[in-house]
Amino acid sequence: SQQARCQTSDAPQSGALAIYRADGDALDSSGHDNYGEYLGTARYAPGLAGEAFDFDGEESYVATPLRVSPDDVSDTTWTVWARPRRNDSRRLLLEADDAGFDRFITIENGFGGIGTGRGIWCPAEAKLDAWQHLAVVFARGSIRFYVNGQEYMCPDAPVGQESQTKLRIGGSPLWKQFFDGLADEVEIYDRALGADEIKAIYEKLRPAAESSRQECAGSARVENNAIAAERPADQPPAAPDAQPTPPKSELSTGDSA
């Protein structure tokens, strides 16, 4: 069943090109009719506000008519609530890349990453199975990335990033790199939003995100207690498999997104 919308206002900031609520469709609620098309296996799941896109990590994505390269819109802001199920390899969440590390947001080997034209800048950890608010401000001379309202400034100015690819949500059929998880409340702007504006977008759904994390933590405790109750008293818990911590990547290159 669809959850009640729990944000304080549905009114977007000024300059919105498209707003994808993902409430059972890929319609645009900005008033500009930039409707998306859900390709592959179209799935939805309960999100933070109503429903969310449920991407399978294999082939599903939403194609939009938005041209967001520097030649089309010099300054642009993208925001999205994301809940990744996998953060291995490169998982493109929002992208408009036709080669050359053009504009995109990716979940990259445990980190949130941004295409800079030089490579991929990965300044912040991406948590699995937890809602997090991601936002990027692309401008001619700078890139700012936000995770749950916290700002990261790219140390290098972007280069190039001209692209004929229109914005896609959930992955790239060109690069076969798809996001696996939920995406909700995608907002695309034709200007650089300020830190206070991005913080305001984050704060609207922060209580719902925190409530979701608490519910998940409670479910995990119940499951662990049930497993412990089934284990004989003289049997110690099995040691978890060692998981290497991925290094924090400042700027990675290699295959273009």
Side-chain angles (χ1 to χ4, degrees):
S1 62
Q2 183 167 305
Q3 295 177 337
R5 184 168 293 280
C6 53
Q7 58 194 75
T8 56
S9 172
D10 284 342
Q13 305 283 356
S14 64
L17 289 174
I19 307 291
Y20 301 102
R21 301 295 188 197
D23 287 337
D25 55 50
L27 300 181
D28 168 24
S29 63
S30 73
H32 296 299
D33 296 339
N34 286 312
Y35 301 138
E37 182 181 4
Y38 208 149
L39 301 172
T41 303
R43 302 188 307 183
Y44 298 88
L48 287 179
E51 291 181 303
F53 297 123
D54 185 355
F55 295 115
D56 61 14
E58 299 294 334
E59 62 171 2
S60 63
Y61 67 98
V62 173
T64 83
L66 296 175
R67 295 190 178 275
V68 290
S69 79
D71 287 341
D72 300 297
V73 54
S74 61
D75 295 356
T76 181
T77 301
W78 307 352
T79 78
V80 59
W81 280 96
R83 183 172 179 168
R85 282 186 292 259
R86 295 165 63 186
N87 60 9
D88 58 319
S89 185
R90 185 167 301 163
R91 301 278 171 185
L92 292 172
L93 178 55
L94 301 176
E95 67 93 18
D97 182 31
D98 63 3
F101 300 99
D102 302 321
R103 291 173 166 176
F104 60 77
I105 299 177
T106 181
I107 303 300
E108 180 94 1
N109 295 319
F111 290 85
I114 304 296
T116 69
R118 303 174 186 272
I120 303 174
W121 169 53
C122 298
E125 182 182 5
K127 298 183 182 300
L128 284 179
D129 298 316
W131 285 107
Q132 48 228 282
H133 187 254
L134 308 178
V136 61
V137 178
F138 291 108
R140 283 287 184 179
S142 65
I143 300 175
R144 290 180 286 123
F145 185 40
Y146 296 81
V147 178
N148 293 335
Q150 181 176 346
E151 180 183 282
Y152 301 85
M153 177 66 76
C154 185
D156 299 309
V159 297
Q161 298 195 309
E162 284 75 19
S163 173
Q164 296 302 310
T165 297
K166 297 175 183 178
L167 180 74
R168 292 181 285 231
I169 306 167
S172 169
L174 174 63
W175 304 111
K176 306 299 182 185
Q177 295 163 348
F178 296 95
F179 178 72
D180 187 345
L182 307 182
D184 201 1
E185 304 296 301
V186 179
E187 304 187 6
I188 310 297
Y189 295 86
D190 65 359
R191 67 182 182 88
L193 268 62
D196 56 338
E197 294 176 299
I198 291 173
K199 185 70 176 296
I201 295 172
Y202 162 62
E203 289 292 342
K204 284 190 291 186
L205 287 175
R206 180 178 61 84
E210 292 179 348
S211 175
S212 175
R213 284 194 290 269
Q214 292 170 359
E215 290 175 2
C216 289
S219 297
R221 284 194 295 271
V222 169
E223 181 178 351
N224 290 338
N225 288 341
I227 293 173
E230 294 174 357
R231 188 176 64 240
D234 58 349
Q235 178 182 335
D241 294 335
Q243 297 292 331
T245 301
K248 179 176 178 181
S249 172
E250 293 298 335
L251 188 66
S252 62
T253 56
D255 293 339
S256 179

